[in-house]
Structures are given as C-alpha cells and as structure tokens.
Amino acid sequence: MHHKEVHALSATPELTSGERKPMLNTISPAMLLEEFSLEMTGKDVPGLEEAADLIPPSTRINVTFLGNENLETRLATSRAVHERGFTPVPHISARRLASRGQLEEFLGALRDQGTSSEVFVVGGDPHTPEGPYEDSLQVIQTGLLQAYGVHQVGIGGYPEGHPDISDAQLWSALTGKAAALREQGLEGTIITQFGFDLAPVFSWIERVRDLGIDLPIRIGVPGPAGIKRLLTFAARFGISSSAGIAKKYGFSLTNLLGTAGPDKFITQLTDGYDADRYGDLKLHFYTFGGLRATSEWITSFSEDQK
C-alpha cells in the first residue's frame, strides 16, 4: 500500500524555478480536503462498493501493485474504480517488472480498458530487481508511459526519509524524476509517505520548492484506524511516533486500544499553510481502517468545517 522505493543514485542538477501562479496565502481545512485522493488494494473492492456513495465523483483512487496479486487482479481493481465513476491511478512497481514486455503488457491492458490516463510509479520492495528496472526513474525514461496513454504520473516523496535509502539518494531521485517528467511532457504529482509529525513535512516541502520543483504535492495522511495498526505501519516505514508526536497527533502510546483520526494533523497543516512557501497542496489518504471508515470520516470532518 505504501511506496517503499529504491531511487536513482546519480547526481541530478537543481531545476530552474519557474513562475508560480498567485495563490491565497491561507487555506481552510475544507479547502484542503477538496479533491482528496485515496488508496486501495485488490482485496478492497468490496470496501469500495460500501464506500462509493460517500466518495465524490472522479476522486483519484490509487491502486497498489502488490507482489501477491496477478495482472488480472490489478486490472480488475482499476476497472472497478473506473466503473464506479472514480479515477483509477494504478501503481507500477519498477523492481517487480520482469521485463520491458511485462511493462508493455500491463500498460496495454490498462489502455484497452480505459484506465491508463494516470499512474503512480514506485521503485518497489524487492532488494534485487526482478527485471531491467532499478527504480521508477528508469520506467519514466522508457517513454512507454505516454505511448500507452498516460498523461499524469505520480511519484513518491519521503518527508521523514526512508529506512533503506540515504537522504542524498532520495533528493537526487526526486529531482531526477521531476526533470524527466518535464522533459517528456508528462504532468506530475508528488505523493508523500504518511506521518504523524508536521515539522518534517513543512521542512521537506520547503526544500522541494527551493529546488525549483513546483509539482503539486499530496500530503500522505492515515485515515482513521486502530492505534496499534497505525504504529505497526509507522514502524515498518520508519515513521516517527514518539510519545510527544503521538500526543500532538491525537493519541497516546499508553492507550493503544482506541482509534485515531487525522483531525489535529489536518487542522495544524492548514494553520501553518503559506501558499508562497508551500505551493499547491492536497491530501492523500492511506485507508488503514478501510475505505468506508475513511470516507465517513472525511464527510463528517468536512461537514464540521462548514
């Protein structure tokens, strides 16, 4: 469900900063929630059925590329998202692709069922690539994405770093991918790993903008879920969850039986937002507690802001 990734290692020059569109310097929680995106796996299709009435039409829903799912499962999940009036964003896991032919097979099948317009390209979990692609940058550079109808490409961002990749490598990869998307005429979006602490998120966004990368950024947010479950995923992906951070987020490490939602996180994000410094921000929800629970929370929180 998450984008652990081994990125390009070569040094990449900083991008030239372009003119940004003038924006208001403040934003409300309701405005931040506009055009949110969600994430699901193949096994979540029944949950999508249950949540469909709560999700706005055309909402982007990322479809993960799990190693234990086959081509048909991935295609069927993207098709289910499309048939219910939402925008599927299938993941492509570079290191899980056995060959260029397998990449073309997946892209061709997505195109044939009308679900290839947007994709999210990630390096993937395997330590050793199963084929010719070391990272997502190499997939972008093939030129195959646009050849099969892709217009927008999502790439990963790591405000708290990555447990297996150095910060220098992460920044080199991010600038390299942003440059490659621009060179190939593809629209791009950065989707960040989730977290509980806003301080590294704001610092990371400032660095992204200082590098001249003006792609829209979707801040990864965990939907409401059991605290134990949240902490399990946090440990797996190297996310800080100290007692102080947990309290600031809205849960306690001494009481793990309840659930926690991102109410405080989103409110603090809007309070600290400055368009001149941070640019275009939206939210991406990791649905740890299920699509229905996340969608119900978004609906209720949005109503409370009116």
Side-chain angles (χ1 to χ4, degrees), residues 208-271:
V208 171
R209 300 314 187 201
D210 286 344
L211 289 170
I213 301 173
D214 59 2
L215 296 175
I217 296 174
R218 289 185 174 271
I219 305 301
V221 178
I227 295 171
K228 283 186 178 180
R229 185 171 179 82
L230 291 174
L231 292 175
T232 297
F233 280 107
R236 178 180 176 187
F237 296 104
I239 305 302
S240 299
S241 56
S242 67
I245 291 172
K247 182 178 180 180
K248 186 164 56 175
Y249 186 81
F251 64 84
S252 169
L253 297 184
T254 61
N255 181 8
L256 306 181
L257 300 180
T259 62
D263 312 53
K264 289 187 176 181
F265 184 91
I266 292 175
T267 300
Q268 292 165 4
L269 178 58
T270 57
D271 288 345

Side-chain angles (χ1 to χ4, degrees), residues 134-184:
E134 288 276 350
D135 52 45
S136 55
L137 176 59
Q138 291 182 349
V139 172
I140 294 169
Q141 291 174 329
T142 63
L144 291 174
L145 300 181
Q146 56 268 50
Y148 282 91
V150 175
H151 300 293
Q152 185 173 106
V153 178
I155 57 177
Y158 300 86
E160 295 190 42
H162 190 290
D164 301 322
I165 309 171
S166 72
D167 285 347
Q169 292 170 345
L170 289 173
W171 285 112
S172 175
L174 185 63
T175 55
K177 287 181 285 189
L181 292 174
R182 184 180 60 186
E183 290 164 2
Q184 300 211 27

Side-chain angles (χ1 to χ4, degrees), residues 94-115:
R95 297 167 72 85
R96 290 193 182 279
L97 295 168
S99 65
R100 179 184 174 97
Q102 189 177 74
L103 172 59
E104 292 204 64
E105 179 186 18
F106 186 38
L107 289 171
L110 289 173
R111 178 196 59 194
D112 292 345
Q113 67 178 19
T115 59

